Amino acid sequence: AQSVTQLGSHVSVSEGALVLLRCNYSSSVPPYLFWYVQYPNQGLQLLLKYTTGATLVKGINGFEAEFKKSETSFHLTKPSAHMSDAAEYFCAVSGGAAGNKLTFGGGTRVLVKP
Amino acid sequence: GAGVSQSPSNKVTEKGKDVELRCDPISGHTALYWYRQSLGQGLEFLIYFQGNSAPDKSGLPSDRFSAERTGGSVSTLTIQRTQQEDSAVYLCASSSNRGLANNSPLHFGNGTRLTVT
């Protein structure tokens, strides 16, 4: 079975500082990888996704993620945090043995300090 | 255009009662998913519908949980004899994916917050 691990359930960053959220997956075949964001009292929305091709993927709101097959990782970054980035972020994987099922990590809640 | 719509947005019920949660997916989306989001538990897969294929029910936690999707569109998640541990936010999502593996993003509704007292 596929699994997704997000290191750190809570991350605190200062406004303007780098945001780095870690995601590692286990899969016997290259999966499809996603990052979703959930703002307070809202549903999840897609930040970015990796399917094939370029391993550095750019998403909305200045976020990007890099697929590293050798490290089975898909870490999310943003060079400069904004107060509006305060939210919960979920890494997810599909494909491979899990087929159409999208498996989520436990989520990382980001707090941005002024 | 309209997104995924879920109703009700909040539901409070007494232990032992049955509840029905409704999901209206985006028009034309063939794939529909139910997830449960609990404090400290992340997002838990419940069930997946794809077109006319038999649903993937592998995530349903017990036989008190069931779901159906009528006419390939609206879906209803039913929880019978609710328990306090069923309290959570139930999220529905739809996707346009038709392939063997889901590389199309999911579009989520805002969820139904269920509280069992």
Side-chain angles (χ1 to χ4, degrees):
Chain A
Q2 295 205 102
S3 68
V4 182
T5 302
Q6 291 183 238
L7 187 62
S9 59
H10 292 78
V11 168
S12 181
V13 299
S14 297
E15 191 174 19
L18 171 71
V19 180
L20 170 60
L21 305 182
R22 299 180 186 275
C23 173
N24 288 86
Y25 65 90
S26 66
S27 176
S28 58
V29 297
Y32 302 115
L33 296 157
F34 305 81
W35 275 98
Y36 284 83
V37 60
Q38 186 177 33
Y39 296 104
N41 300 313
Q42 294 186 27
L44 278 77
Q45 64 183 85
L46 182 70
L47 262 183
L48 49 80
K49 68 175 181 178
Y50 169 79
T51 54
T52 59
T55 56
L56 181 63
V57 180
K58 295 186 184 299
I60 61 172
N61 300 339
F63 283 92
E64 62 182 35
E66 186 171 12
F67 169 55
K68 292 187 176 181
K69 183 179 177 181
S70 61
E71 298 177 8
T72 60
S73 70
F74 191 56
H75 301 330
L76 180 72
T77 60
K78 180 174 180 176
S80 177
H82 190 273
M83 296 299 291
S84 61
D85 295 326
E88 189 158 18
Y89 294 79
F90 293 91
C91 182
V93 59
S94 72
N100 288 311
K101 190 185 308 180
L102 193 63
T103 301
F104 285 88
T108 299
R109 187 170 297 278
V110 173
L111 171 67
V112 182
K113 299 177 293 185
Chain B
V4 176
S5 177
Q6 291 188 247
S7 60
S9 55
N10 282 281
K11 176 72 176 178
V12 180
T13 190
E14 292 180 353
K15 177 182 173 181
K17 300 284 189 183
D18 297 353
V19 295
E20 284 190 354
L21 312 179
R22 177 187 170 103
C23 172
D24 276 283
I26 292 173
S27 177
H29 278 190
T30 58
L32 187 147
Y33 300 76
W34 284 97
Y35 284 85
R36 178 167 69 175
Q37 186 175 23
S38 309
L39 274 176
Q41 298 290 323
L43 280 152
E44 176 188 11
F45 167 79
L46 297 178
I47 188 169
Y48 160 64
F49 297 89
Q50 174 62 58
N52 295 321
S53 303
D56 177 351
K57 303 180 182 180
S58 60
L60 295 178
S62 76
D63 59 8
R64 296 187 296 105
F65 287 73
S66 63
E68 62 178 22
R69 189 178 185 192
T70 55
S73 181
V74 171
S75 177
T76 301
L77 177 69
T78 301
I79 308 173
Q80 296 177 310
R81 306 181 302 281
T82 52
Q83 303 295 314
Q84 288 186 330
E85 61 264 27
D86 298 334
S87 296
V89 176
Y90 289 82
L91 293 169
C92 177
S94 70
S95 166
S96 61
N97 189 73
R98 295 173 184 272
L100 293 177
N102 190 349
N103 62 2
S104 297
L106 269 59
H107 298 262
F108 282 84
N110 287 338
T112 293
R113 182 175 297 278
L114 176 66
T115 303
V116 182
T117 61

